[in-house]
Amino acid sequence: MPPLDGQSDSAQTVSAKQLRSELARVSVATVMYGAHTIAFQPRTEYRSEDRHLVEDWKLSNGTWKFIGVFDGHGAGHEAVDFVFETLPGMIKASLASAVDAADVVSTTTIEDILVRSISDIDDRIKADLLNFFPGGPAQISKLTDNEIKRAIRDPETGNSYVQIMRARTGTTALVALIDPLKSLHVASLGDCEALLGTRNGLGGWEVKTLSKRHNASNKVEADRVRAEHPGEAECIHQGRTLGLVTLTRAIGDTLFKLPPIYTERVLALATPPFHENYKFGDLLARNLTPPYLSNRADVEHVDLASLGPNAMPVLILCSDGLCDLYSRRSQTRDIAQDVQLWLTTLTRESSDNLALELLWDALGGDDRIEAASKIVRGMPGRRVDDTTVVVLQL
């Protein structure tokens, strides 16, 4: 790459080093239980809605590794914080019970635990909302707005109870488990990405997507929603579920899972209010036969031992912010291809943090220092999507 105007080649190299150092600081690059991680949001006035966790669980049959990436949304942190704090423990407790009953746990049992834990935590969020009004829509319809506001107001904070805000916000869930026998299990709900890179026999890299993209741009998902709501032309509207969110599966987001009276008479009266740009009124007319968002995760299993001794597998979990960054510079529109190219050119031995290296590549790397600098340092008036990356060499 030629130097920027007025810079020598050496000055350009120093600039790249400085920017990489700043990126490492801004993205909180670290290593957790052997996994390389970053959490990137350059605009300091925004608190990232992404969460991630890496843990080693010592169960009776050996050590299990847990990785979770959760991408919150809905202009709030309540749902994603609850899932981040609660879901790993639910999965661990269920696994411990299964392991105690049988040292070797089948993939069917592991899949059931993952699917059930994710749907159970979503059901709990919904139940916590419904419990405020046990009489259901009939009870709500008889109450005044002030009576509802008093019922959902937390006297300690002056705002609505956290259970109300959990129900109004939402999150995706991407979970990976590696069991003591070196099998990988990935559960996905939403549009975070899980990718597995392996060396092929020719010395190159192949990348397989292990997650499912649960959003309305995925024709399979859009067709599924339409089939579940026959005759409702606007169940998918302008590439969004009910015209509002791109996702087709998520935790929380009860606006899309309960009759519209809960949105109009409860969630819309909550404090703090909906974001001014959130057009929930459009949703009310389209919400005819809820739910429209599913809470059922898809699960993939990989026997890592079967890949062979030279596969050098690399597992990557990321929020969709990484896909957005790549889309600014790549024509492939397929993050698996972008990651394949990155792995091909990567010198892993000289990399202290592979997640940071991947983020740097998505920003344009050494070839686009000026463009990367604008993103890393925060573009005025423009927010970059929260980006979380976890990379684990298996």
Side-chain angles (χ1 to χ4, degrees):
M1 173 183 175
L4 300 178
D5 292 344
Q7 290 186 327
S8 66
D9 288 330
S10 61
Q12 173 69 14
T13 301
V14 171
S15 176
K17 290 180 179 178
Q18 291 173 338
L19 188 60
R20 288 170 70 99
S21 177
E22 185 174 351
L23 181 63
R25 177 187 60 81
V26 171
S27 63
V28 198
T30 189
V31 178
M32 305 170 64
Y33 293 95
H36 298 185
T37 73
I38 62 93
F40 179 61
Q41 175 46 256
R43 298 287 296 275
T44 56
E45 66 270 33
Y46 294 114
R47 180 190 172 203
S48 173
E49 292 177 337
D50 282 4
R51 303 287 184 271
H52 67 280
L53 181 68
V54 183
E55 292 184 334
D56 282 348
W57 295 341
K58 296 187 182 303
L59 303 183
S60 62
N61 71 337
T63 300
W64 295 64
K65 186 175 291 290
F66 171 91
I67 306 173
V69 173
F70 311 100
D71 185 350
H73 54 264
H77 303 264
E78 292 82 5
V80 70
D81 282 342
F82 180 63
V83 172
F84 169 74
E85 294 163 3
T86 309
L87 181 62
M90 293 171 61
I91 295 172
K92 183 179 181 181
S94 295
L95 271 178
S97 296
V99 167
D100 289 343
D103 284 345
V104 178
V105 183
S106 69
T107 56
T108 301
T109 298
I110 295 171
E111 180 168 335
D112 179 67
I113 288 172
L114 291 171
V115 170
R116 180 165 36 84
S117 297
I118 290 171
S119 63
D120 282 354
I121 199 168
D122 180 63
D123 289 341
R124 178 174 168 184
I125 290 173
K126 183 172 65 174
D128 284 347
L129 169 61
L130 296 177
N131 287 341
F132 279 90
F133 305 98
Q139 178 187 2
I140 294 171
S141 64
K142 295 176 182 177
L143 298 174
T144 66
D145 285 357
N146 285 335
E147 288 172 330
I148 291 174
K149 289 178 180 179
R150 285 196 295 270
I152 64 176
R153 180 179 179 273
D154 183 347
E156 292 187 4
T157 65
N159 288 328
S160 297
Y161 283 102
V162 68
Q163 292 89 341
I164 298 294
M165 303 311 295
R166 283 177 196 156
R168 205 175 74 177
T169 57
T171 183
T172 65
L174 180 64
V175 169
L177 287 173
I178 302 170
D179 66 33
L181 298 178
K182 303 305 178 187
S183 286
L184 169 66
H185 317 273
V186 175
S188 57
L189 184 85
D191 56 3
C192 291
E193 299 272 357
L195 304 147
L196 183 65
T198 54
R199 283 277 196 185
N200 60 31
L202 301 176
W205 286 90
E206 296 178 357
V207 175
K208 179 181 179 181
T209 301
L210 302 179
S211 53
K212 304 296 182 183
R213 190 167 295 176
H214 297 143
N215 62 34
S217 66
N218 180 345
K219 185 177 183 301
V220 173
E221 279 293 290
D223 287 346
R224 176 186 61 78
V225 175
R226 292 188 181 102
E228 292 174 357
H229 303 278
E232 298 181 36
E234 293 186 325
C235 62
I236 299 293
H237 180 65
Q238 295 181 344
R240 293 172 176 263
T241 302
L242 296 186
L244 266 81
V245 295
T246 58
L247 295 170
T248 54
R249 306 191 196 195
I251 297 171
D253 293 315
T254 58
L255 296 81
F256 301 84
K257 298 174 180 178
L258 292 173
I261 191 171
Y262 285 94
T263 298
E264 184 176 23
R265 298 295 321 287
V266 180
L267 301 179
L269 299 178
T271 304
F274 278 115
H275 190 279
E276 59 184 7
N277 294 333
Y278 196 82
K279 299 180 181 179
F280 71 90
D282 295 341
L283 177 146
L284 298 176
R286 298 177 182 134
N287 183 359
L288 304 176
T289 57
Y292 292 86
L293 296 184
S294 171
N295 66 8
R296 182 173 179 82
D298 281 318
V299 181
E300 289 285 332
H301 309 275
V302 179
D303 179 4
L304 298 173
S306 70
L307 299 177
N310 300 318
M312 300 173 61
V314 178
L315 177 65
I316 298 164
L317 273 66
C318 64
S319 61
D320 66 337
L322 187 71
C323 305
D324 291 344
L325 289 175
Y326 266 118
S327 70
R328 296 169 182 262
R329 55 168 289 246
S330 171
Q331 301 301 314
T332 65
R333 295 190 175 276
D334 182 353
I335 191 171
Q337 294 183 34
D338 293 320
V339 169
Q340 182 181 30
L341 291 172
W342 171 71
L343 286 169
T344 300
T345 59
L346 179 68
T347 304
R348 293 197 290 176
E349 292 75 10
S350 62
S351 302
D352 294 329
N353 189 301
L354 293 175
L356 183 63
E357 293 292 335
L358 183 54
L359 175 62
W360 178 252
D361 187 66
L363 289 167
D366 294 342
D367 295 330
R368 300 184 68 199
I369 300 301
E370 187 174 10
S373 177
K374 291 179 181 179
I375 297 175
V376 173
R377 293 172 176 169
M379 294 176 287
R382 184 176 179 184
R383 180 180 179 181
V384 175
D385 193 13
D386 303 328
T387 301
T388 296
V389 181
V390 180
V391 180
L392 178 66
Q393 299 179 71
L394 298 167

